Amino acid sequence: MNEISQRRVISVIVINESSVLSRITDLFSARGYNIESLTVAPIPESKYSRLTIVTSGSLRVSEQITKQLHKLIPILKVIEHEDIVEKEMALVKFSLDEDISAIDTLAQAYNGKIVNVGDNSVIAMVADESKRVGNFLKAIQKYNPKEIVRSGAVALER
Amino acid sequence: MQISGAQMVIEALIKEGVDTVFGYPGGAIMNVYDEIYKQDGFEHILTRHEQAAIHAAEGYSKISGKVGVAMITSGPGFTNAVTGLADAYMDSVPLVVISGQVPMTLIGTDAFQEIDSVGISRSCTKHNYLVTDAADLPRILKEAFYIANSGRPGPVHVDIPKDVTAQIAEFDYDFEVELETYKPTTKGNYRQIKKAVDAIANASRPLFYLGGGIINSNASDEIRELVKLTGIPAVETFMARGVLGHENPLLISMLGMHGSYAANMAMSETDLVIGIGARFDDRVTGKLSEFAKNAGVIHVDIDPASISKLVKANYPIVGDVKSVVNDMTTIAREKVDKQRYEPWLETIANFERLHPLSYNEDTPNLKPQWVIEKVGEMLGDNANISTDVGQHQMWTAQFYPFSRPRQFSSSGGLGTMGFGFPSAIGVKKADKERVSINFTGDGSILMNIQELMTSVEKKLPVINIILNNNYLGMVRQWQTLFYNKRHSETDLSTQPDFVKLAESFGGVGYVVRTKKEFEDALNDAIKKDVVALIDVKIERLENVMPMVPAGGSLFNMMLENKGDK
Ligand SMILES: Cc1cc2nc3c(=O)[nH]c(=O)nc-3n(C[C@H](O)[C@H](O)[C@H](O)COP(=O)(O)OP(=O)(O)OC[C@H]3O[C@@H](n4cnc5c(N)ncnc54)[C@H](O)[C@@H]3O)c2cc1C
Ligand SMILES: Cc1ncc(C[n+]2csc(CCOP(=O)(O)OP(=O)(O)O)c2C)c(N)n1
Ligand SMILES: [Mg+2]
């Protein structure tokens, strides 16, 4: 039961110092844990940053990840989320030759819209749960996306 | 007080009570060495290789219980030290290692002797720092000592660019370390401890599984008391040798790959493992799914990540051994009836009678086990013991009569050949009253042989007892057993003249083939009180037995020592 691999979202509060990110990514690679996505940004008006890491593993592995992260000296808190609001953003570039209004309608269904129109391309943005962002990216395949960028998930406990 | 970064290093070390620094100078650390020249607060021991400086600091720390300190230069000085850092990390040895770095202005330019030291040491230290401003040095050095020696101990690396050692800034060392993000738990949860003692009181076949964390915690006396009070038998890991002392009637022996039959059978038959400061290493558990299969598990450890990492704990207790064991003892006084475990002790006595740790003197050549027992008989508690890595190391763990904690310094987790000799130099520095013995192999001794010079120069005599089998014996043993005797690149028939080698450095050497020659050589070496190499020609094909083949179950041991015959 402990060995079933599952997607897990972990938030990490760290002291904002230069080497802290490599301490964390080194730990993941040294111990063979995988990172699906990782986002970092400073927490406003504090000396801390907040990371959101999406990983996968069994309960045993994820317990170890949490404990090993805790052992890093500049880490203040490690939160393994149970009940969360999770959002991720994606930007997708399309040729102007595609059906732009269809793309816009689709984007709106995923909390998004067209955010930029250039000489020969447009960029659509969506912001939604990671799984739904994935669905959106599947749905727009038929419009031949030229480039796709995903931000990685950010999460807050309810 | 306004002083330079280099002066700060000296002042901080003195304020930390450091009396010995092991090291090796070079360009980037020269400002600090200039200050070492001017001071007399501590002694600097120049080893002849940076790796040896770290191992010496480890030996010093393991025997004294203090933080070991080493100092090295940038680039190759640092990379030479990496094996030592990794060794200390695996065995939870508290060290502060200070390295020079190229000036800040040159960092990132592939400067002469520049290497990303903190990038390299990150994965083999408890914590590390790159100091970018001399004003931070007092805080960083104080934190380094605090982190190294609190919680689960470990090495801390401080990398200081050359211009920072020249920079003048304010030095004030009178403050308390306040680390908001690092607060190790030392006091165990009392309710959880109570539940654990209840489980002990209700168990029929409980077993203490004692680890190196007890020595880290300086809690051997408390453990001895708890074991005596409860009458529960105990096994020790390799890292815990000396915790109970060889005369303790409740000590079975070491368990694990080369543990005794009785220790491993006890672990296989127990219904409650009481793990204290031990980390369920794979050399100990063998096949995990078969390890203590029908037992509940109590696990006391200061590092939460050690608990349920490999074996699920039913009673996890995060805390310092000393504090937790004191609580356990108080509760156990009321609850535990030692008579309850008498049938279990009978069972164990039967295991011990069935296959005691033993060896046969069935060849004309000396047996390594005899040599170790003989040293035990001649010196016993009067010696501190280091080892290198290989068969001789396992025989030492099996056959030396350890009587106290901090008597033994060996590389357990990393298994670093070359550890023994420099360790024994550090050991001698920490305890000059006792004889510092290094049990070594003909392979390992050559990995830090240059330390003959340090030993002679600093008058830190070490007696190296080379259990010479003309083989990389431990590897040869596996080749014999698991590779159909294809002894690939393990034959060391080509050998130096160890006597001349020792003499050329100003030490003494002996070649020994008989029991009498061995006793005479050891007595003479003790009397001469200079570094010694005793080249003991032993039976070449002796195997370390018993043995649990890698990945096998503890109850499936190979018992017989058939050698290659
Ligand atoms: C060739 C070879 C063969 C080996 N064969 C064997 C073998 O047969 N048997 C064997 O036992 N070993 C063997 N070893 C050694 C083995 O590799 C490990 O080093 C050893 O088993 C680990 O011992 P330990 O569990 O006591 O842990 P240690 O490495 O000593 O770890 C200490 C544990 O205690 C915790 N701790 C530290 N301080 C405290 C404190 N104050 N309070 C509470 N907890 C604390 C730490 O967090 C850690 O979990 C062998 C090594 C080699 C090189
Ligand atoms: C630095 C290093 N290299 C390689 C090994 C692998 N190894 C483990 S034991 C051993 C043989 C040691 O030979 P020796 O020192 O003669 O000891 P013996 O086993 O013969 O007693 C080797 C090569 C190691 N542990 N450390
Ligand atoms: Mg050998």
Side-chain angles (χ1 to χ4, degrees), chain B residues 3-224:
Chain B
I3 55 176
S4 72
Q7 287 168 314
M8 289 185 189
V9 172
I10 309 301
E11 292 298 322
L13 294 182
I14 292 170
K15 289 218 149 88
E16 292 290 345
V18 173
D19 60 19
T20 309
V21 173
F22 300 90
Y24 209 103
I29 192 80
M30 279 185 74
N31 291 334
V32 181
Y33 270 85
D34 194 42
E35 296 302 328
I36 288 179
Y37 186 87
K38 297 177 196 160
Q39 60 82 43
D40 55 9
F42 57 80
E43 186 180 2
H44 180 275
I45 309 256
L46 177 73
T47 55
R48 295 307 193 267
H49 190 290
E50 287 86 352
Q51 182 190 351
I54 314 287
H55 293 327
E58 288 184 85
Y60 175 89
S61 171
K62 287 192 194 192
I63 266 46
S64 68
K66 292 167 66 174
V67 177
V69 180
M71 200 173 290
I72 53 194
T73 192
S74 70
F78 169 76
T79 53
N80 271 349
V82 172
T83 303
L85 287 173
D87 192 88
Y89 184 58
M90 293 291 278
D91 284 347
S92 307
V93 187
L95 298 184
V96 170
V97 175
I98 297 169
S99 59
Q101 182 54 280
V102 302
M104 297 269 290
T105 47
L106 287 178
I107 285 183
T109 66
D110 303 316
F112 178 64
Q113 298 194 327
E114 178 182 6
I115 197 79
D116 176 12
S117 301
V118 285
I120 292 173
S121 70
R122 199 168 289 139
S123 57
C124 56
T125 51
K126 182 172 174 186
H127 195 48
N128 63 12
Y129 297 89
L130 172 64
V131 186
T132 56
D133 186 340
D136 296 334
L137 254 178
R139 172 184 62 80
I140 287 176
L141 289 169
K142 197 159 214 179
E143 283 178 13
F145 276 88
Y146 174 69
I147 290 170
N149 208 19
S150 55
R152 179 179 185 166
V156 179
H157 168 214
V158 182
D159 197 31
I160 318 180
K162 190 169 187 179
D163 47 356
V164 174
T165 60
Q167 186 193 340
I168 307 283
E170 177 64 20
F171 181 81
D172 173 7
Y173 212 71
D174 287 333
F175 58 93
E176 294 291 312
V177 173
E178 231 334 295
L179 286 165
E180 191 184 5
T181 58
Y182 172 74
K183 296 197 161 75
T185 310
T186 54
K187 184 120 187 62
N189 179 302
Y190 196 78
R191 279 185 38 217
Q192 190 74 349
I193 296 173
K194 230 167 132 191
K195 274 200 230 157
V197 179
D198 281 336
I200 294 173
N202 291 322
S204 324
R205 298 183 309 280
L207 182 68
F208 280 110
Y209 158 45
L210 306 177
I214 298 164
I215 297 176
N216 287 128
S217 175
N218 295 316
S220 296
D221 288 345
E222 288 78 359
I223 292 285
R224 288 179 184 198

Side-chain angles (χ1 to χ4, degrees), chain B residues 270-528:
Chain B
T270 178
D271 64 353
L272 182 67
V273 178
I274 313 167
I276 304 188
R279 59 185 173 82
F280 295 85
D281 183 84
D282 52 87
R283 301 273 115 161
V284 163
T285 60
K287 189 175 185 181
L288 270 176
S289 57
E290 301 287 331
F291 176 77
K293 206 172 175 180
N294 303 311
V297 174
I298 298 172
H299 192 178
V300 181
D301 203 295
I302 202 158
D303 178 2
S306 274
I307 295 178
S308 295
K309 177 172 67 176
L310 294 153
V311 171
K312 174 105 188 112
N314 310 89
Y315 305 91
I317 301 170
V318 177
D320 183 41
V321 170
K322 198 173 210 139
S323 152
V324 173
V325 167
N326 278 335
D327 287 348
M328 281 180 141
T329 305
T330 310
I331 304 168
R333 269 187 222 293
E334 314 267 293
K335 295 205 171 162
V336 176
D337 169 19
K338 66 197 285 187
Q339 310 220 312
R340 183 181 172 89
Y341 313 120
E342 272 166 15
W344 172 225
L345 291 177
E346 244 335 282
T347 311
I348 289 169
N350 279 332
F351 291 143
E352 283 176 324
R353 272 194 292 272
L354 202 54
H355 297 290
L357 259 187
S358 65
Y359 61 97
N360 292 322
E361 294 194 83
D362 51 359
T363 59
N365 295 327
L366 281 178
K367 284 294 177 88
Q369 301 93 330
W370 177 87
V371 176
I372 291 160
E373 281 185 342
K374 190 73 205 170
V375 178
E377 205 179 283
M378 289 169 71
L379 289 171
D381 183 51
N382 234 334
N384 291 310
I385 307 296
S386 297
T387 77
D388 265 301
V389 172
Q391 293 183 306
H392 61 274
Q393 177 188 31
M394 290 300 115
W395 286 317
T396 304
Q398 291 176 332
F399 289 96
Y400 197 86
F402 293 101
S403 51
R404 58 189 157 83
R406 301 200 180 281
Q407 188 180 9
F408 185 39
S409 172
S410 186
S411 169
L414 198 66
T416 311
M417 287 172 69
F419 174 86
F421 188 8
S423 158
I425 291 174
V427 165
K428 186 70 188 179
K429 183 71 177 64
D431 182 357
K432 294 209 170 151
E433 300 302 310
R434 292 193 171 91
V435 181
S436 181
I437 298 281
N438 174 33
F439 285 109
T440 180
D442 47 318
S444 297
I445 188 65
L446 290 183
M447 284 212 179
N448 267 316
I449 192 70
Q450 76 287 342
E451 295 312 312
L452 282 166
M453 205 68 270
T454 311
S455 189
V456 167
E457 185 197 33
K458 293 292 176 184
K459 300 202 167 45
L460 294 171
V462 166
I463 299 177
N464 293 284
I465 299 174
I466 306 171
L467 297 171
N468 193 342
N469 49 15
N470 283 242
Y471 272 124
L472 295 173
M474 184 56 96
V475 182
R476 194 279 309 151
Q477 173 170 342
W478 284 52
Q479 290 170 334
T480 297
L481 297 172
F482 312 118
Y483 291 85
N484 207 8
K485 303 188 188 174
R486 289 186 300 279
H487 294 163
S488 175
E489 302 298 323
T490 46
D491 190 319
L492 300 185
S493 291
T494 312
Q495 299 242 332
D497 179 332
F498 284 110
V499 176
K500 283 189 190 152
L501 182 59
E503 285 170 354
S504 75
F505 282 83
V508 290
Y510 310 84
V511 178
V512 163
R513 288 196 171 76
T514 64
K515 292 182 175 176
K516 172 87 174 50
E517 283 171 0
F518 180 73
E519 273 180 67
D520 290 348
L522 183 57
N523 279 324
D524 193 59
I526 295 168
K527 206 172 74 213
K528 291 231 166 72

Side-chain angles (χ1 to χ4, degrees), chain A residues 22-23 48 64 67 71 73, chain B residues 128 180-181 303-305 307:
Chain A
S22 38
R23 289 186 201 283
Y48 299 108
Q64 264 295 306
K67 287 173 171 179
K71 274 174 76 170
I73 309 287
Chain B
N128 63 12
E180 191 184 5
T181 58
D303 178 2
I307 295 178

